[in-house]
mmCIF file of all heavy atoms in Angstrom:
data_model
loop_
_atom_site.group_PDB
_atom_site.id
_atom_site.type_symbol
_atom_site.label_atom_id
_atom_site.label_comp_id
_atom_site.label_asym_id
_atom_site.label_seq_id
_atom_site.Cartn_x
_atom_site.Cartn_y
_atom_site.Cartn_z
ATOM 1 N N ILE Y 1 47.057 127.497 304.428
ATOM 2 C CA ILE Y 1 46.879 127.248 305.818
ATOM 3 C C ILE Y 1 48.102 127.593 306.621
ATOM 4 O O ILE Y 1 48.008 128.284 307.668
ATOM 5 C CB ILE Y 1 46.571 125.768 306.177
ATOM 6 C CG1 ILE Y 1 45.027 125.445 305.653
ATOM 7 C CG2 ILE Y 1 46.669 125.435 307.540
ATOM 8 C CD1 ILE Y 1 44.811 123.961 305.575
ATOM 9 N N GLU Y 2 49.322 127.204 306.283
ATOM 10 C CA GLU Y 2 50.584 127.617 306.916
ATOM 11 C C GLU Y 2 50.719 129.108 306.885
ATOM 12 O O GLU Y 2 51.088 129.765 307.914
ATOM 13 C CB GLU Y 2 51.722 126.891 306.183
ATOM 14 C CG GLU Y 2 51.707 125.417 306.382
ATOM 15 C CD GLU Y 2 52.878 124.699 305.476
ATOM 16 O OE1 GLU Y 2 53.232 125.321 304.558
ATOM 17 O OE2 GLU Y 2 53.204 123.624 305.852
ATOM 18 N N PHE Y 3 50.427 129.845 305.824
ATOM 19 C CA PHE Y 3 50.583 131.186 305.805
ATOM 20 C C PHE Y 3 49.627 132.019 306.704
ATOM 21 O O PHE Y 3 50.031 132.839 307.518
ATOM 22 C CB PHE Y 3 50.304 131.712 304.250
ATOM 23 C CG PHE Y 3 50.484 133.090 303.984
ATOM 24 C CD1 PHE Y 3 51.748 133.754 303.847
ATOM 25 C CD2 PHE Y 3 49.424 133.985 304.148
ATOM 26 C CE1 PHE Y 3 51.962 135.091 303.669
ATOM 27 C CE2 PHE Y 3 49.595 135.448 304.019
ATOM 28 C CZ PHE Y 3 50.843 135.933 303.690
ATOM 29 N N LEU Y 4 48.409 131.567 306.705
ATOM 30 C CA LEU Y 4 47.459 132.033 307.505
ATOM 31 C C LEU Y 4 47.679 131.884 308.966
ATOM 32 O O LEU Y 4 47.476 132.664 309.751
ATOM 33 C CB LEU Y 4 45.972 131.499 307.352
ATOM 34 C CG LEU Y 4 45.291 131.969 305.930
ATOM 35 C CD1 LEU Y 4 44.193 131.127 305.583
ATOM 36 C CD2 LEU Y 4 45.161 133.463 305.764
ATOM 37 N N ALA Y 5 48.076 130.741 309.388
ATOM 38 C CA ALA Y 5 48.500 130.388 310.808
ATOM 39 C C ALA Y 5 49.711 131.319 311.141
ATOM 40 O O ALA Y 5 49.693 131.597 312.376
ATOM 41 C CB ALA Y 5 48.859 128.895 310.820
ATOM 42 N N GLU Y 6 50.599 131.653 310.373
ATOM 43 C CA GLU Y 6 51.731 132.515 310.708
ATOM 44 C C GLU Y 6 51.199 133.917 310.774
ATOM 45 O O GLU Y 6 51.862 134.700 311.483
ATOM 46 C CB GLU Y 6 52.765 132.322 309.706
ATOM 47 C CG GLU Y 6 53.546 130.989 309.803
ATOM 48 C CD GLU Y 6 54.409 130.854 311.005
ATOM 49 O OE1 GLU Y 6 54.587 131.946 311.686
ATOM 50 O OE2 GLU Y 6 54.635 129.786 311.512
ATOM 51 N N LYS Y 7 50.162 134.334 310.068
ATOM 52 C CA LYS Y 7 49.748 135.654 310.047
ATOM 53 C C LYS Y 7 48.784 136.020 311.109
ATOM 54 O O LYS Y 7 48.835 137.103 311.642
ATOM 55 C CB LYS Y 7 49.186 135.958 308.698
ATOM 56 C CG LYS Y 7 48.544 137.491 308.426
ATOM 57 C CD LYS Y 7 48.005 137.515 307.058
ATOM 58 C CE LYS Y 7 47.658 138.928 306.823
ATOM 59 N NZ LYS Y 7 46.431 139.435 307.721
ATOM 60 N N ASP Y 8 47.687 135.197 311.359
ATOM 61 C CA ASP Y 8 46.610 135.495 312.254
ATOM 62 C C ASP Y 8 46.392 134.466 313.320
ATOM 63 O O ASP Y 8 46.646 133.180 313.050
ATOM 64 C CB ASP Y 8 45.361 135.519 311.476
ATOM 65 C CG ASP Y 8 45.192 136.811 310.431
ATOM 66 O OD1 ASP Y 8 45.601 137.800 311.016
ATOM 67 O OD2 ASP Y 8 44.576 136.725 309.506
ATOM 68 N N THR Y 9 45.815 134.936 314.504
ATOM 69 C CA THR Y 9 45.197 133.986 315.445
ATOM 70 C C THR Y 9 43.914 133.573 314.728
ATOM 71 O O THR Y 9 43.163 134.476 314.340
ATOM 72 C CB THR Y 9 44.941 134.722 316.626
ATOM 73 O OG1 THR Y 9 46.205 134.840 317.353
ATOM 74 C CG2 THR Y 9 44.093 133.859 317.567
ATOM 75 N N CYS Y 10 43.629 132.336 314.664
ATOM 76 C CA CYS Y 10 42.485 131.971 313.915
ATOM 77 C C CYS Y 10 41.823 130.497 314.205
ATOM 78 O O CYS Y 10 42.538 129.742 314.812
ATOM 79 C CB CYS Y 10 42.745 132.009 312.325
ATOM 80 S SG CYS Y 10 44.071 130.936 311.870
ATOM 81 N N VAL Y 11 40.750 130.316 313.789
ATOM 82 C CA VAL Y 11 40.041 128.914 313.758
ATOM 83 C C VAL Y 11 39.965 128.555 312.357
ATOM 84 O O VAL Y 11 39.615 129.128 311.443
ATOM 85 C CB VAL Y 11 38.637 129.034 314.282
ATOM 86 C CG1 VAL Y 11 38.083 127.569 314.241
ATOM 87 C CG2 VAL Y 11 38.685 129.459 315.729
ATOM 88 N N ILE Y 12 40.538 127.244 312.133
ATOM 89 C CA ILE Y 12 40.491 126.707 310.752
ATOM 90 C C ILE Y 12 39.715 125.311 310.767
ATOM 91 O O ILE Y 12 40.135 124.492 311.637
ATOM 92 C CB ILE Y 12 41.878 126.394 310.198
ATOM 93 C CG1 ILE Y 12 42.764 127.788 310.212
ATOM 94 C CG2 ILE Y 12 41.846 125.767 308.875
ATOM 95 C CD1 ILE Y 12 44.122 127.567 309.772
ATOM 96 N N VAL Y 13 38.700 125.181 309.975
ATOM 97 C CA VAL Y 13 37.938 124.085 310.111
ATOM 98 C C VAL Y 13 38.257 123.104 308.943
ATOM 99 O O VAL Y 13 38.368 123.481 307.733
ATOM 100 C CB VAL Y 13 36.428 124.361 309.843
ATOM 101 C CG1 VAL Y 13 35.580 123.112 309.904
ATOM 102 C CG2 VAL Y 13 35.895 125.328 311.086
ATOM 103 N N GLY Y 14 38.485 121.789 309.161
ATOM 104 C CA GLY Y 14 38.729 120.918 308.153
ATOM 105 C C GLY Y 14 40.027 121.000 307.499
ATOM 106 O O GLY Y 14 41.023 121.538 307.903
ATOM 107 N N ARG Y 15 40.013 120.524 306.224
ATOM 108 C CA ARG Y 15 41.214 120.627 305.216
ATOM 109 C C ARG Y 15 42.442 120.060 305.822
ATOM 110 O O ARG Y 15 43.481 120.536 305.410
ATOM 111 C CB ARG Y 15 41.425 122.152 304.918
ATOM 112 C CG ARG Y 15 40.143 122.696 304.001
ATOM 113 C CD ARG Y 15 39.901 121.979 302.921
ATOM 114 N NE ARG Y 15 38.806 122.469 302.242
ATOM 115 C CZ ARG Y 15 38.079 121.717 301.165
ATOM 116 N NH1 ARG Y 15 38.508 120.629 300.832
ATOM 117 N NH2 ARG Y 15 37.050 122.304 300.640
ATOM 118 N N CYS Y 16 42.412 119.113 306.688
ATOM 119 C CA CYS Y 16 43.591 118.538 307.344
ATOM 120 C C CYS Y 16 44.448 119.416 307.930
ATOM 121 O O CYS Y 16 45.692 119.294 308.057
ATOM 122 C CB CYS Y 16 44.403 117.667 306.317
ATOM 123 S SG CYS Y 16 43.733 116.112 305.739
ATOM 124 N N ALA Y 17 43.824 120.618 308.527
ATOM 125 C CA ALA Y 17 44.649 121.560 309.198
ATOM 126 C C ALA Y 17 45.386 121.049 310.444
ATOM 127 O O ALA Y 17 46.405 121.514 310.719
ATOM 128 C CB ALA Y 17 43.749 122.738 309.525
ATOM 129 N N ASP Y 18 44.767 120.004 311.011
ATOM 130 C CA ASP Y 18 45.356 119.463 312.183
ATOM 131 C C ASP Y 18 46.681 118.847 311.795
ATOM 132 O O ASP Y 18 47.679 118.952 312.541
ATOM 133 C CB ASP Y 18 44.409 118.490 312.846
ATOM 134 C CG ASP Y 18 43.911 117.320 311.870
ATOM 135 O OD1 ASP Y 18 43.772 117.679 310.708
ATOM 136 O OD2 ASP Y 18 43.820 116.257 312.319
ATOM 137 N N PHE Y 19 46.784 118.230 310.646
ATOM 138 C CA PHE Y 19 47.923 117.571 310.243
ATOM 139 C C PHE Y 19 48.897 118.666 309.751
ATOM 140 O O PHE Y 19 50.175 118.528 309.916
ATOM 141 C CB PHE Y 19 47.562 116.587 309.022
ATOM 142 C CG PHE Y 19 48.797 116.151 308.206
ATOM 143 C CD1 PHE Y 19 49.809 115.310 308.742
ATOM 144 C CD2 PHE Y 19 48.976 116.623 306.866
ATOM 145 C CE1 PHE Y 19 50.833 114.953 308.047
ATOM 146 C CE2 PHE Y 19 50.154 116.176 306.115
ATOM 147 C CZ PHE Y 19 50.912 115.289 306.717
ATOM 148 N N VAL Y 20 48.470 119.512 308.935
ATOM 149 C CA VAL Y 20 49.300 120.516 308.448
ATOM 150 C C VAL Y 20 50.154 121.308 309.369
ATOM 151 O O VAL Y 20 51.210 121.698 309.187
ATOM 152 C CB VAL Y 20 48.634 121.599 307.465
ATOM 153 C CG1 VAL Y 20 49.353 122.755 306.976
ATOM 154 C CG2 VAL Y 20 47.976 120.823 306.241
ATOM 155 N N LEU Y 21 49.319 121.605 310.453
ATOM 156 C CA LEU Y 21 49.858 122.514 311.630
ATOM 157 C C LEU Y 21 50.258 121.553 312.863
ATOM 158 O O LEU Y 21 50.399 122.120 313.986
ATOM 159 C CB LEU Y 21 48.899 123.445 312.119
ATOM 160 C CG LEU Y 21 48.370 124.478 310.834
ATOM 161 C CD1 LEU Y 21 47.279 125.480 311.458
ATOM 162 C CD2 LEU Y 21 49.555 125.202 310.288
ATOM 163 N N SER Y 22 50.561 120.358 312.656
ATOM 164 C CA SER Y 22 50.774 119.354 313.824
ATOM 165 C C SER Y 22 52.004 119.702 314.559
ATOM 166 O O SER Y 22 52.073 119.513 315.670
ATOM 167 C CB SER Y 22 50.941 117.939 313.304
ATOM 168 O OG SER Y 22 52.023 117.858 312.355
ATOM 169 N N ASP Y 23 53.025 120.480 313.842
ATOM 170 C CA ASP Y 23 54.197 120.813 314.577
ATOM 171 C C ASP Y 23 54.343 122.223 315.020
ATOM 172 O O ASP Y 23 55.379 122.771 315.404
ATOM 173 C CB ASP Y 23 55.477 120.460 313.733
ATOM 174 C CG ASP Y 23 55.688 118.903 313.400
ATOM 175 O OD1 ASP Y 23 55.348 118.205 314.340
ATOM 176 O OD2 ASP Y 23 56.099 118.658 312.399
ATOM 177 N N MET Y 24 53.088 122.880 314.894
ATOM 178 C CA MET Y 24 53.172 124.371 314.991
ATOM 179 C C MET Y 24 52.899 124.558 316.590
ATOM 180 O O MET Y 24 52.060 124.101 317.183
ATOM 181 C CB MET Y 24 52.174 125.090 314.150
ATOM 182 C CG MET Y 24 51.983 126.544 314.465
ATOM 183 S SD MET Y 24 51.174 127.430 313.145
ATOM 184 C CE MET Y 24 52.498 127.468 311.903
ATOM 185 N N GLU Y 25 53.712 125.605 317.110
ATOM 186 C CA GLU Y 25 53.699 125.993 318.369
ATOM 187 C C GLU Y 25 52.251 126.800 318.572
ATOM 188 O O GLU Y 25 51.825 127.486 317.757
ATOM 189 C CB GLU Y 25 54.761 126.908 318.980
ATOM 190 C CG GLU Y 25 54.852 127.244 320.472
ATOM 191 C CD GLU Y 25 56.061 128.222 320.651
ATOM 192 O OE1 GLU Y 25 56.669 128.575 319.751
ATOM 193 O OE2 GLU Y 25 56.127 128.507 321.833
ATOM 194 N N ASN Y 26 51.605 126.624 319.853
ATOM 195 C CA ASN Y 26 50.401 127.230 320.090
ATOM 196 C C ASN Y 26 49.231 126.884 319.105
ATOM 197 O O ASN Y 26 48.351 127.730 318.976
ATOM 198 C CB ASN Y 26 50.570 128.835 320.139
ATOM 199 C CG ASN Y 26 51.372 129.397 321.329
ATOM 200 O OD1 ASN Y 26 51.844 128.528 322.093
ATOM 201 N ND2 ASN Y 26 51.581 130.541 321.348
#
């Protein structure tokens, strides 16, 4: 999830992505 978020603009469903990316800008 962290790798994909750094690589692409994207939509991620479930998998606690909100928590994993809670400190990510944008």
Side-chain angles (χ1 to χ4, degrees):
I1 286 170
E2 292 173 338
F3 183 84
L4 292 169
E6 287 295 335
K7 180 181 183 295
D8 285 323
T9 289
C10 59
V11 174
I12 303 177
V13 179
R15 298 303 180 191
C16 283
D18 57 325
F19 166 69
V20 174
L21 303 177
S22 59
D23 294 326
M24 181 164 281
E25 185 182 9
N26 287 2

